[in-house]
């Protein structure tokens, strides 16, 4: 019963945020994909390989924005902050009005979630820990790659398939049963590091929608 009360308190705090409220109840329709010719597809794949190399060199990065997370009839939305340093990361979701929410930290030593009634919780796996604490299914281990339009480690998450848009940037990524649609991009400029501005990820009745306001330390 205590776990149910904790989940209810967190979700009620996040659900009061109206900024992305529509996202929590109605998943977006998948964008249409263009039919690329062989030459265009080869160019898109070459551009993606260049992006991947450029982004691999950026090991410290982060972003701020807005998120909506749903899992069945549960869901919440609010401000999100993501900070990555190599294989370690910290993600926080909070309602802008009440500032209530949670913060998840993951490193080689395991995971820790804070901000919930009853004090911090720890465990070996960030995704499982977050699910146990909030009832929300968030693929946090893979998001570090997906957020930047890259496949996650295939040795862990299995094969990935990329479809490209008319701009020859990733339009849809399929991996580990998730469909990730990219709906807007920050132009690469001279760095070669084009980055997504809107990300919609869905698997079954679980979904994560992100709108990036600022790519701190990772943009062009």
């Amino acid at each position: 019963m205590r776990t149910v009360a904790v989940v209810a308190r967190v979700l009620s705090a996040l659900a009061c945020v109206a900024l992305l409220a529509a996202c929590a109840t109605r998943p977006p329709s998948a964008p249409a994909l263009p039919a690329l010719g062989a030459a265009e597809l080869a160019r898109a794949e070459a551009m993606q390989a260049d992006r991947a190399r450029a982004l691999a060199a950026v090991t410290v990065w982060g972003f701020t924005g807005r998120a909506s997370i749903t899992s069945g009839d549960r869901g919440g939305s609010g401000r999100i902050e993501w900070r990555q340093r190599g294989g370690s990361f910290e993600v926080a979701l909070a309602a802008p009005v009440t500032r209530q929410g949670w913060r998840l930290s993951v490193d080689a030593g395991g995971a820790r979630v804070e901000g919930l009634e009853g004090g911090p919780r720890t465990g070996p796996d960030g995704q499982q820990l977050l699910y146990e604490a909030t009832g929300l299914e968030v693929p946090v281990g893979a998001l570090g790659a997906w957020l930047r339009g890259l496949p996650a480690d295939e040795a862990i998450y299995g094969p990935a398939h990329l479809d490209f848009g008319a701009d020859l940037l990733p339009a849809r990524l399929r991996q580990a049963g998730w469909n990730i649609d990219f709906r807007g991009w920050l132009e690469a400029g001279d760095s070669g590091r084009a980055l997504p501005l809107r990300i919609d990820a869905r698997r079954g009745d679980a979904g994560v929608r992100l709108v990036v306001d600022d790519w701190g330390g990772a943009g062009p």
Side-chain angles (χ1 to χ4, degrees), residues 25 37 41 48 50 93 95 105 115 117 126 142 176 190 205 219:
T25 57
L41 181 58
Q48 178 69 3
D50 289 343
L93 184 69
S105 304
E117 186 177 286
D190 295 332
D205 63 359

Side-chain angles (χ1 to χ4, degrees), residues 32 83 155 166 182 193 202 216:
R83 295 290 175 261
F182 304 99
R193 299 196 301 265
R202 183 157 294 276

Side-chain angles (χ1 to χ4, degrees), residues 18 32 52 63 76 85 119 126 152 157 171:
F63 77 89
R85 184 177 293 273
Y157 297 99

Side-chain angles (χ1 to χ4, degrees), residues 151-160 175-176:
D153 187 345
E154 294 193 4
I156 299 174
Y157 297 99
Q175 190 174 24

Side-chain angles (χ1 to χ4, degrees), residues 4-31:
V4 173
V6 171
V7 171
R9 178 173 176 177
V10 173
L11 294 182
S12 64
L14 296 179
C16 71
V17 184
L19 192 57
L20 291 178
C23 304
T25 57
R26 185 173 61 253
S29 57

Side-chain angles (χ1 to χ4, degrees), residues 192-216:
R193 299 196 301 265
L195 290 163
L197 292 175
R198 294 179 62 90
I199 304 108
D200 299 324
R202 183 157 294 276
R203 186 177 72 178
D205 63 359
V208 179
R209 298 191 67 193
L210 297 171
V211 177
V212 177
D213 294 325
D214 179 63
W215 275 105

